[in-house]
Amino acid sequence: MLQFRFSTVLKEFFQSNLKRSLAGISRNKTSLPIYYCFSTASVDVKVSSKLKVLHAGVHCPLLYTTTGIRTYCTKAEGAAIPVTENAVKKDETVKEAATEKKRKAGILPSLEDLLFYTIAEGQEKIPVHKFLTALKATGLRTGDPRLKECMDTLKVTLKNTSDGVMLDRHLFKKCVQSNIVLLTQAFRKKFVIPDFQSFTSHIDELYESAKKLNEGQVADYIPQLAKFSPELWAVSLCTVDGQRHTVGDTKVPFCLQSCVKPLKYAIAVHDHGTEYVHRFIGKEPSGLRFNKLFLDEDDKPHNPMVNAGAIVCTSLIKVMNFLNKMAGNEYVGFSNATFQSERESGDRNFAIGYYLKEKKVRTLELSVSLQLCSIEVTCESASVMAATLANGGFCPITGERVLSPEAVRDTLSLMHSCGMYDFSGQFAFHVGLPAKSGVSGGILLVVPNVMGIMCWSPPLDKLGNSVRGIQFCTDLVSLFNFHNYDNLRHFAKKHDPRREGGDQRQLTFGPMDYESLQQELALKDSLWRKVVPSECHEDSSTTVVYRMENVGERN
């Protein structure tokens, strides 16, 4: 993993600010008690800690409680009491105004300066490839639509430099200033997956493990699908912050087939509302094969994830525009060859259509539904669609709202209970995440509020699900704390990639000496007993900040 060390410039800047703040405190005759703040961030000084320490050198240190809520403490009649929220806000406003005044006067560096110093590591110029490599390590792509202005400026700037590869501080600031908020979040590891490279290395291992499987058969009842090689295997993911990772045959187009069903349903609910859509479609698992000619006791399809329900859904929506938005305008195409192949071999689906007509269920011509199954995506573009569902209807890489929260919630609920054909109950039990499979070999997997994943491999098991895809999803939740019913605090054998270093804790103690502090920590949890002073600690008249280091694995 790419790591960065403090530059000499940053050290001098921090030390000078710290001395100034301490000098001011020493002149104050009022002695304040010592408070200890703990965080389980790694002792290694990485990008995020550099920016945090700089911030701590400029502003007064904060105390963080176990709930993560900021509190300031003062001493009154021998006891520590919290200052009122209004007083804190007023104090912060004054300090921010003073800080901004200093920054404009050139006394304090801007965010662009801090980012440059972090990457430059003491050098006066940085090669552009170093910046791009560091950017990739965060999970962001240079082609991310949110970074378009930054990348365009970078290209123009490099053309006007003497060597075409080096950027000094002034040129760097010019390039990044339009996207500095996003870039600062990335380099401070404020995304949903902080240690992205570590996380993706695990994903690659799971991919390689599933690649060894040779079971299953490529679907041949649709002749066009039978042409795909059984060796094809791809996994793409996109987090709710737009972090991307792909491995395998991720740029090969394939048809969504039944993976389009939850997307059709989401669009229908977005357009018409849940109550209206479910006048025509049920919400229960059918307990039958997905292509059965069977309706519930109210003469409605059981749910939108079976063929009958999907056919009815098609009559309620306009799809392609939504799918393009969900994919962040990445590849969404149409396979006419697959559509023609399905129409020629789709007798059962036509039978379902006629059966729905007999029961007076609202439908359009069946060919429209077959066309939607023939929509083409790549693993990469489909992972953005899944991430849009994970992100409450907002496309992560464009920031555009595509679906309503109601539509996303209801879609994920039905994917969880009905999305994996006759394996839905088993999948919900073992994997515990909403998903939808298709006979082309795709599995659209959603980790709500975290990421969307598309797995694709044509060989299917006897229930119509991708063999490698099922294995990957199962291994994913065996390794990571993603199962819907995993306890995030006490399921100790799993990793939680949403926390930096895999696990984090924050504890706050009142005034005590260093020995008492270690004893208290030993009582709390012996695995978190090692305490090291951070760069911010000083004499007894100031707030003292310590950092706690994980020294063992949980059993």
Side-chain angles (χ1 to χ4, degrees):
M1 182 183 294
L2 185 62
Q3 297 185 0
F4 304 94
R5 303 291 175 187
F6 264 123
S7 69
T8 305
V9 176
L10 284 178
K11 287 184 178 179
E12 291 176 353
F13 168 77
F14 169 72
Q15 290 170 357
S16 64
N17 276 275
L18 184 59
K19 289 176 181 177
R20 285 198 296 270
S21 61
L22 291 175
I25 294 174
S26 63
R27 288 192 295 268
N28 191 338
K29 296 181 180 180
T30 303
S31 179
L32 297 177
I34 304 173
Y35 288 90
Y36 301 86
C37 176
F38 304 93
S39 167
T40 61
S42 170
V43 178
D44 289 340
V45 182
K46 299 181 182 177
V47 177
S48 59
S49 62
K50 296 176 191 176
L51 295 177
K52 290 176 184 176
V53 170
L54 278 172
H55 185 77
V58 174
H59 300 284
C60 292
L62 303 179
L63 293 179
Y64 288 80
T65 66
T66 53
T67 58
I69 300 173
R70 294 191 300 178
T71 60
Y72 289 81
C73 291
T74 60
K75 192 169 184 179
E77 297 180 357
I81 61 171
V83 178
T84 62
E85 185 176 354
N86 288 337
V88 170
K89 289 182 178 179
K90 183 177 180 180
D91 188 47
E92 286 181 342
T93 302
V94 172
K95 289 176 181 176
E96 287 174 1
T99 300
E100 185 62 25
K101 184 177 180 180
K102 290 180 181 179
R103 182 174 290 115
K104 289 180 178 179
I107 299 175
L108 297 179
S110 63
L111 288 175
E112 293 89 341
D113 289 327
L114 297 180
L115 189 57
F116 176 82
Y117 295 141
T118 299
I119 300 173
E121 298 181 301
Q123 302 299 313
E124 294 183 359
K125 293 185 178 182
I126 59 173
V128 67
H129 72 82
K130 186 174 184 178
F131 167 58
L132 298 180
T133 300
L135 182 66
K136 184 179 179 181
T138 70
L140 293 182
R141 290 183 170 182
T142 56
D144 192 308
R146 296 169 296 174
L147 294 175
K148 185 178 186 304
E149 192 171 350
C150 172
M151 293 300 133
D152 288 346
T153 306
L154 184 62
K155 290 177 183 178
V156 174
T157 301
L158 289 175
K159 289 180 181 179
N160 296 326
T161 59
S162 57
D163 52 19
V165 294
M166 301 297 289
L167 295 172
D168 60 21
R169 185 170 62 89
H170 174 72
L171 292 177
F172 181 82
K173 290 176 65 174
K174 178 182 177 182
C175 293
V176 302
Q177 61 186 3
S178 57
N179 300 119
I180 189 58
V181 174
L182 179 63
L183 292 170
T184 300
Q185 284 182 315
F187 283 93
R188 289 188 66 197
K189 296 191 174 183
K190 293 299 183 181
F191 286 159
V192 66
I193 305 293
D195 293 325
F196 194 67
Q197 282 188 309
S198 175
F199 173 71
T200 55
S201 68
H202 288 300
I203 295 295
D204 291 346
E205 291 173 4
L206 299 182
Y207 169 88
E208 292 297 333
S209 177
K211 188 177 182 179
K212 299 174 183 177
L213 298 176
N214 294 313
E215 294 85 3
Q217 299 292 324
V218 178
D220 57 5
Y221 70 93
I222 299 174
Q224 194 66 21
L225 297 184
K227 297 179 180 180
F228 282 96
S229 168
E231 302 301 318
L232 293 168
W233 170 220
V235 173
S236 288
L237 66 88
C238 176
T239 73
V240 294
D241 290 314
Q243 297 165 284
R244 309 288 296 275
H245 181 67
T246 63
V247 55
D249 305 301
T250 56
K251 295 187 182 298
V252 179
F254 63 93
C255 291
L256 281 170
Q257 291 297 321
S258 288
C259 287
V260 81
K261 291 174 181 175
L263 309 180
K264 291 194 293 184
Y265 171 75
I267 296 167
V269 173
H270 176 83
D271 282 345
H272 304 290
T274 303
E275 183 178 353
Y276 180 81
V277 170
H278 286 286
R279 292 180 189 175
F280 310 100
I281 310 169
K283 305 170 187 173
E284 294 291 334
S286 68
L288 302 169
R289 292 284 290 174
F290 67 96
N291 58 357
K292 284 287 186 180
L293 277 72
F294 193 78
L295 303 178
D296 64 17
E297 59 184 13
D298 297 321
D299 284 339
K300 296 191 296 188
H302 284 79
N303 62 72
M305 305 303 157
V306 295
N307 285 12
I311 291 170
V312 173
C313 246
T314 304
S315 68
L316 302 174
I317 60 170
K318 299 176 182 178
V319 177
M320 285 300 289
N321 185 46
F322 274 94
L323 295 186
N324 277 299
K325 290 180 179 179
M326 288 186 72
N329 298 314
E330 294 191 358
Y331 178 78
V332 178
F334 177 75
S335 173
N336 189 60
T338 303
F339 165 61
Q340 297 297 338
S341 183
E342 281 212 68
R343 191 164 64 173
E344 292 171 3
S345 59
D347 292 340
R348 174 167 287 273
N349 285 325
F350 280 105
I352 293 173
Y354 286 121
Y355 182 51
L356 291 170
K357 277 188 176 181
E358 178 193 358
K359 296 296 183 179
K360 309 299 182 186
V361 178
R362 175 175 175 169
T363 61
L364 286 178
E365 184 181 355
L366 181 64
S367 61
V368 178
S369 183
L370 298 181
Q371 286 174 347
L372 296 182
C373 290
S374 302
I375 290 175
E376 275 190 339
V377 294
T378 64
C379 242
E380 295 189 13
S381 59
S383 70
V384 181
M385 294 180 179
T388 300
L389 293 176
N391 199 33
F394 284 91
C395 177
I397 65 173
T398 64
E400 181 180 6
R401 174 179 285 286
V402 184
L403 298 168
S404 67
E406 176 190 31
V408 172
R409 179 200 62 200
D410 295 347
T411 299
L412 296 181
S413 297
L414 287 171
M415 288 172 68
H416 187 268
S417 62
C418 314
M420 299 297 289
Y421 299 130
D422 294 342
F423 192 66
S424 294
Q426 293 273 9
F427 193 88
F429 183 86
H430 292 290
V431 179
L433 291 172
K436 185 69 191 82
S437 59
V439 293
S440 59
I443 295 181
L444 192 78
L445 183 73
V446 178
V447 185
N449 305 306
V450 181
M451 70 181 68
I453 301 174
M454 173 56 89
C455 310
W456 176 60
S457 179
L460 310 177
D461 60 23
K462 62 182 181 180
L463 296 177
N465 299 311
S466 170
V467 173
R468 294 188 184 107
I470 292 290
Q471 185 64 52
F472 178 87
C473 295
T474 304
D475 290 345
L476 181 74
V477 297
S478 295
L479 181 61
F480 295 112
N481 220 337
F482 286 157
H483 191 292
N484 196 38
Y485 301 110
D486 279 345
N487 188 283
L488 298 181
R489 294 185 62 189
H490 303 301
F491 211 116
K493 293 184 180 179
K494 293 187 178 182
H495 298 285
D496 188 351
R498 290 161 286 197
R499 296 178 174 183
E500 190 171 350
D503 200 358
Q504 284 183 324
R505 297 187 187 181
Q506 292 179 335
L507 300 174
T508 300
F509 294 87
M512 64 177 68
D513 58 37
Y514 188 75
E515 289 72 24
S516 300
L517 170 66
Q518 290 182 312
Q519 292 175 9
E520 183 72 17
L521 288 173
L523 292 174
K524 291 283 183 181
D525 189 338
S526 60
L527 293 180
W528 298 87
R529 63 185 177 274
K530 185 176 180 182
V531 182
V532 292
S534 77
E535 293 82 356
C536 298
H537 83 284
E538 268 297 335
D539 60 41
S540 60
S541 65
T542 66
T543 299
V544 181
V545 183
Y546 288 94
R547 185 167 55 241
M548 201 158 44
E549 179 184 11
N550 187 354
V551 294
E553 292 288 338
R554 289 184 174 275
N555 296 320

